[in-house]
Each structure stands twice: as structure tokens, then as C-alpha cells.
């Protein structure tokens, strides 16, 4: 079945450090891949997505490239800020049932950025 | 912007009570979803609905039921609350997918439910 594995957290970095959060997946067919972010006390927000192999999604300085050969979708940012402290979820598009597309989520990675 | 509104941010109930969690979306989305979020487990799908009065079980439906009487509203029901249902509950919605698997889901801010 479909599954997503993220690097275990928590991750703690200093401001302006380089960030990588690893995400690998197992899926049949050609899923789309997503990164969601959850700020403290809030729901999930879509951060970026990629819909086919070699696509690069980007938003707010974050990037992730859909790598079919390594089944990966790692999240990167060149210089993190304190305001990036949040929980990050990798997800893939699963089966469509009666027009409802399911998402399969990773376990989440908590990121803390220290000033 | 899509707005998904969950009626309560925090809720405290007692074991054995019947609990209702409400979710409303304003974008005329066909599909609505209920998840629970627990540390280290990510989001797990409880139930989803693809149309009024239509529902499907997700991965962990035991102990829960749902109701969708109107397109914009999707309710999660804990028939007899138990302490292991203490969790964060998230509602999401999206348009109908016509074969292309690229639909992101739009989430509410969550309800943190404690069962004592």
C-alpha cells in the first residue's frame, strides 16, 4: 500500500541555518506529493506540491523536488527563521474513491529554530 | 480563500458521553474529511464524505460515526466517548477529483478534545 516516511524529529536549528527534512514514499502509479505546515495552535496549511517526476515545488523560500528514482521529496530551505518553527508533514495523493482523493501523511517532523 | 471552520478549539467531555464535533466549509466542496492527529502517528483518516448523506470509512472508524445532511457541514460523532479518544481532531475539504491526483486538502484549525 501507499506510505510516507519522514525523518524523525524533533529538529532544532539556529537561525539562518540550512534545513533539510527527509521524506520518502512508497506508492503505486503516479501520485502527487505535498508538504504541509502546522504552526502552533493551527490546522495544516499547504506549503508546496509537485505533481509529476522532476517537478520542483516552492513557496516561502522552501523547495522540494519530486525524485521518482529515489522515491523522495525532501524539503529544503537555505536560511531558516524563528517564524519557521512548526510541524511539517509530507503527504502523497492516495486512492480516489467516488471522486474523493485521499491523502496519506507521514508522521510529521517538529522543527524549532532558535534565535 | 477557503475557510474551513471547526466549531470548538477546545472541548472537555466525560467518559461515556455522546460528543459532536462540527465542521463547516464555505467553498462548495464536494468532499469532506475527518482526521485525528496524535504525536508520532501523523494524521489518520477516520471517515470521509463525497456528497450529502454519503460517507466512507477511513483507516480508523471504530468508535466514531459521521453525518452530512448539508453540503457545507460535516459532523463527527463519538457515540460513547472513551479516554483513548483524547486527541486533536482535524476537518478538511476539497473539490471532487476527476482522475487527476493533485487536489490539496484545506484544513480547519482543529479541535483539541479531552475525555476525562
Amino acid at each position: 500500500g501507499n506510505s510516507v516516511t519522514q525523518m524523525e524529529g524533533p529538529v532544532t536549528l539556529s537561525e539562518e541555518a540550512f534545513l533539510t527534512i527527509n521524506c520518502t514514499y512508497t506508492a503505486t502509479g503516479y501520485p502527487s506529493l505535498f508538504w504541509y505546515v502546522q504552526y502552533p495552535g493551527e490546522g495544516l496549511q499547504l506549503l508546496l506540491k509537485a505533481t509529476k517526476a522532476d517537478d520542483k515545488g516552492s513557496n516561502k523560500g522552501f523547495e522540494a523536488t519530486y525524485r521518482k528514482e529515489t522515491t523522495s521529496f525532501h524539503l529544503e530551505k537555505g536560511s531558516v527563521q524563528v517564524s519557521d518553527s512548526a510541524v511539517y508533514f509530507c503527504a502523497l495523493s492516495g486512492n480516489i474513491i467516488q471522486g474523493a482523493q485521499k491523502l496519506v501523511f507521514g508522521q510529521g517532523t517538529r522543527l524549532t529554530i532558535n534565535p | 480563500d477557503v475557510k474551513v471552520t471547526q466549531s470548538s478549539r477546545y472541548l472537555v467531555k466525560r467518559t461515556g458521553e455522546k460528543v459532536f464535533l462540527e465542521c463547516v466549509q464555505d467553498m462548495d466542496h464536494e468532499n469532506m474529511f475527518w482526521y485525528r492527529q496524535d504525536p508520532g502517528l501523523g494524521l489518520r483518516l477516520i471517515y470521509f464524505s463525497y456528497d450529502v448523506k454519503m460517507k466512507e470509512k477511513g483507516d480508523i472508524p471504530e468508535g466514531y460515526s459521521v453525518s452530512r445532511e448539508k453540503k457545507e457541514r460535516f459532523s463527527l460523532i463519538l457515540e460513547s466517548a472513551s479516554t483513548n479518544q483524547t486527541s486533536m481532531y482535524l476537518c478538511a475539504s476539497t473539490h471532487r477529483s476527476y482522475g487527476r491526483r493533485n487536489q490539496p486538502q484545506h484544513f480547519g484549525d482543529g479541535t483539541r478534545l479531552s475525555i476525562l
Side-chain angles (χ1 to χ4, degrees):
Chain A
N2 298 331
S3 67
V4 175
T5 302
Q6 290 181 233
M7 67 185 287
E8 287 202 24
V11 174
T12 302
L13 295 172
S14 297
E15 208 165 18
E16 299 184 3
F18 184 86
L19 169 71
T20 301
I21 300 178
N22 291 337
C23 171
T24 58
Y25 68 90
T26 303
T28 54
Y30 304 96
S32 293
L33 299 172
F34 307 87
W35 276 102
Y36 281 85
V37 58
Q38 184 180 37
Y39 297 106
E42 298 183 12
L44 276 68
Q45 302 175 24
L46 179 66
L47 181 59
L48 53 84
K49 71 175 184 180
T51 58
K52 61 183 187 297
D54 299 325
D55 264 4
K56 178 186 283 188
S58 61
N59 187 26
K60 298 181 180 180
F62 291 90
E63 293 183 340
T65 301
Y66 188 158
R67 302 281 189 204
K68 194 168 176 61
E69 64 276 11
T70 54
T71 62
S72 65
F73 192 54
H74 304 323
L75 183 68
E76 296 181 336
K77 186 174 186 183
S79 177
V80 292
Q81 306 301 313
V82 172
S83 57
D84 294 326
S85 299
V87 181
Y88 291 82
F89 291 91
C90 184
L92 65 79
S93 57
N95 298 331
I96 298 174
I97 299 174
Q98 301 285 355
Q101 178 190 286
K102 298 169 72 174
L103 290 181
V104 177
F105 287 88
Q107 71 269 40
T109 302
R110 181 174 298 278
L111 173 67
T112 300
I113 307 300
N114 294 321
Chain B
D1 271 358
V2 176
K3 186 72 174 175
V4 179
T5 303
Q6 294 184 229
S7 54
S8 304
R9 293 298 300 273
Y10 301 93
L11 209 53
V12 180
K13 297 292 182 180
R14 296 208 173 271
T15 304
E17 280 192 68
K18 191 169 186 176
V19 181
F20 294 84
L21 302 184
E22 307 287 343
C23 175
V24 176
Q25 51 92 7
D26 67 356
M27 281 301 292
D28 202 36
H29 284 165
E30 292 82 9
N31 304 317
M32 298 186 74
F33 305 80
W34 274 107
Y35 296 89
R36 64 177 282 176
Q37 179 184 1
D38 299 289
L41 297 178
L43 273 70
R44 292 180 292 167
L45 182 63
I46 304 171
Y47 267 97
F48 65 98
S49 168
Y50 53 89
D51 205 343
V52 175
K53 297 190 187 294
M54 308 307 290
K55 61 186 179 185
E56 289 280 343
K57 292 179 180 179
D59 301 317
I60 52 164
E62 298 78 18
Y64 303 94
S65 62
V66 290
S67 173
R68 192 156 180 214
E69 297 297 318
K70 294 185 177 182
K71 189 174 185 180
E72 67 271 17
R73 185 180 298 271
F74 191 36
S75 302
L76 178 70
I77 304 158
L78 284 65
E79 297 291 345
S80 178
S82 64
T83 55
N84 63 10
Q85 292 177 309
T86 291
S87 187
M88 169 73 90
Y89 290 87
L90 292 165
C91 174
S93 69
T94 189
H95 276 304
R96 179 166 291 133
S97 177
Y98 293 99
R100 295 181 63 187
R101 297 201 288 173
N102 60 359
Q103 290 270 7
Q105 292 180 7
H106 302 271
F107 285 82
D109 283 340
T111 296
R112 187 166 292 283
L113 175 64
S114 296
I115 307 297
L116 305 180

